[in-house]
Amino acid sequence: MSSWCCRSGYERFVTSLARPGGNVTGSSNLAPELVGKCLEQLKQAVPGVSRVAVLWQPGGQGEGTNKDMLKGADVAARALGVRLQFVEARGPEDFDRAFSEMTRARAGALTVLPSAMLFIERRRLVDLAAKSRLPAVYTWREFVDAGGLMSYGPDLADSFRRSATYVDRILKGAKPADLPVEQPTKFELVLNLKTAKSLGLTLPPSLLARADQVIE
């Protein structure tokens, strides 16, 4: 069996990433580790921001993954000198309420933690962030393709291609227990200059120079 999931989501199924054991392997998207990096990129894009909203879906990841992501956000925020406002959205019906909470709390920017539901609803989230005039960072570039400001995270297309090689090996007789859970090796920083302009932001040259892609 090969599956795609966050690292901590495997804790119930595998002994370790290096030696899964049992009948499960797959790939990890390193969600907890990337939360802090996303906040760091956002802080560079919006240097003066002091309060950042964190939109997340309870139950959207495994319990361990969610706990690690929230902890990672808190640790990174302390290091960056920003305050966080954690806002829950269990489903799309919570989005309007969530963004109203951000507005009332005067959040200056937004980070969206990864979950399947939030990914599926990316166009609506991007539209709400624009309507609320919130510079936002996402884990997946598909949000930026939809009009979001910026993203930093693993290349999903590359991860899926690598997963296909595991499927092929398993079909040819390899045991999942002997195949390490793969961690992403290709990360990308994607920026949307059109969105930055609409928000009145001038992205610093140092951030632009590191970008893997700049959408104009």
Side-chain angles (χ1 to χ4, degrees):
M1 177 180 180
S2 177
S3 59
W4 176 71
C5 187
C6 294
R7 181 204 63 178
S8 299
Y10 274 107
E11 293 172 352
R12 296 170 294 168
F13 305 111
V14 303
T15 302
S16 70
L17 295 181
R19 300 187 63 84
N23 197 39
V24 174
T25 189
S27 60
S28 160
N29 65 18
L30 292 177
E33 291 86 345
L34 288 171
V35 172
K37 190 67 176 177
C38 283
L39 279 172
E40 179 184 329
Q41 308 285 354
L42 182 61
K43 177 68 173 177
Q44 292 180 26
V46 194
V49 70
S50 60
R51 188 177 185 85
V52 177
V54 180
L55 182 67
W56 69 291
Q57 180 194 7
Q61 302 275 13
E63 182 178 352
T65 298
N66 273 337
K67 182 178 179 180
D68 288 348
M69 287 195 298
L70 297 177
K71 181 179 179 181
D74 187 61
V75 171
R78 291 175 185 272
L80 294 168
V82 300
R83 294 174 294 166
L84 297 182
Q85 175 197 6
F86 292 100
V87 184
E88 298 181 3
R90 295 182 180 275
E93 65 278 3
D94 294 327
F95 290 169
D96 288 337
R97 184 265 309 155
F99 277 85
S100 292
E101 288 183 10
M102 297 176 203
T103 300
R104 286 197 299 271
R106 297 187 178 182
L110 165 68
T111 182
V112 177
L113 302 190
S115 82
M117 183 274 290
L118 296 176
F119 179 80
I120 291 170
E121 297 291 335
R122 59 190 178 277
R123 291 190 180 278
R124 186 175 171 202
L125 290 174
V126 165
D127 289 345
L128 285 168
K131 182 179 179 180
S132 302
R133 299 197 59 76
L134 284 173
V137 63
Y138 311 90
T139 306
W140 295 311
R141 67 158 298 147
E142 284 76 6
F143 283 86
V144 184
D145 292 334
L149 175 65
M150 61 192 301
S151 67
Y152 180 80
D155 182 332
L156 285 185
D158 181 67
S159 296
F160 290 146
R161 284 192 294 268
R162 293 167 66 87
S163 294
T165 65
Y166 263 32
V167 173
D168 181 63
R169 292 172 65 181
I170 290 170
L171 290 175
K172 291 178 178 178
K175 295 180 179 179
D178 298 330
L179 299 176
V181 175
E182 284 202 333
Q183 300 186 58
T185 58
K186 185 178 180 181
F187 299 86
E188 54 183 4
L189 172 64
V190 183
L191 307 174
N192 191 318
L193 286 185
K194 183 177 179 181
T195 301
K197 183 178 180 180
S198 70
L199 292 169
L201 288 177
T202 300
L203 299 180
S206 58
L207 190 64
L208 292 169
R210 294 199 311 275
D212 296 279
Q213 184 177 355
V214 177
I215 299 174
E216 300 188 47

